[in-house]
Amino acid sequence: MSTLSKRLKEARLLAGLSQEQLGLRIDLDPASASTRMNRYELAKREPDLELVERIADELGLPAAFFYAVRDEEAELLRLFNTLSAEGKERVLGLLRGES
């Protein structure tokens, strides 16, 4: 299983969507939505960057989440994305060593 396929399945399950539901939400052809998403999750095919960006937008995640190799990085990206602009600035300030 590739990193992308693992993250795709993880994100879809967190959103509580079936493969078909996610495929339809990102405008895949209804006749093949479930099959295509299944192939992406099994790493039999890899979606192009534009499709990954559509998936990310639909699931409220940054596209980088799908490429994060380490689980901690993926979790950080997912959680950081949920913060308000002010929250993001505060976290970045802490990481930069600012008070």
Side-chain angles (χ1 to χ4, degrees), residues 1-2 5 13 18 27 30 34 40 43-44 48 50-51 65 74 77 85 91 99:
M1 181 177 275
S2 73
S5 63
L13 292 174
S18 69
D27 297 322
S34 180
Y40 297 145
K44 292 185 178 184
D48 62 24
E50 186 270 330
L51 186 59
F65 169 86
L77 286 164
V91 168
S99 16

Side-chain angles (χ1 to χ4, degrees), residues 19-84:
Q19 292 173 337
E20 181 177 30
Q21 288 169 323
L22 179 55
L24 293 174
R25 287 184 179 201
I26 60 169
D27 297 322
L28 296 181
D29 182 277
S32 64
S34 180
T35 301
R36 282 184 63 186
M37 293 307 300
N38 182 266
R39 288 182 179 155
Y40 297 145
E41 288 185 13
L42 293 175
K44 292 185 178 184
R45 295 199 60 194
E46 187 168 319
D48 62 24
L49 181 58
E50 186 270 330
L51 186 59
V52 172
E53 289 173 346
R54 286 188 357 226
I55 293 168
D57 286 343
E58 181 60 37
L59 298 177
L61 294 166
F65 169 86
F66 296 98
Y67 300 99
V69 175
R70 294 188 0 221
D71 291 339
E72 297 86 3
E73 293 170 347
E75 182 71 359
L76 184 61
L77 286 164
R78 186 183 70 76
L79 293 172
F80 186 80
N81 198 60
T82 66
L83 297 173
S84 66

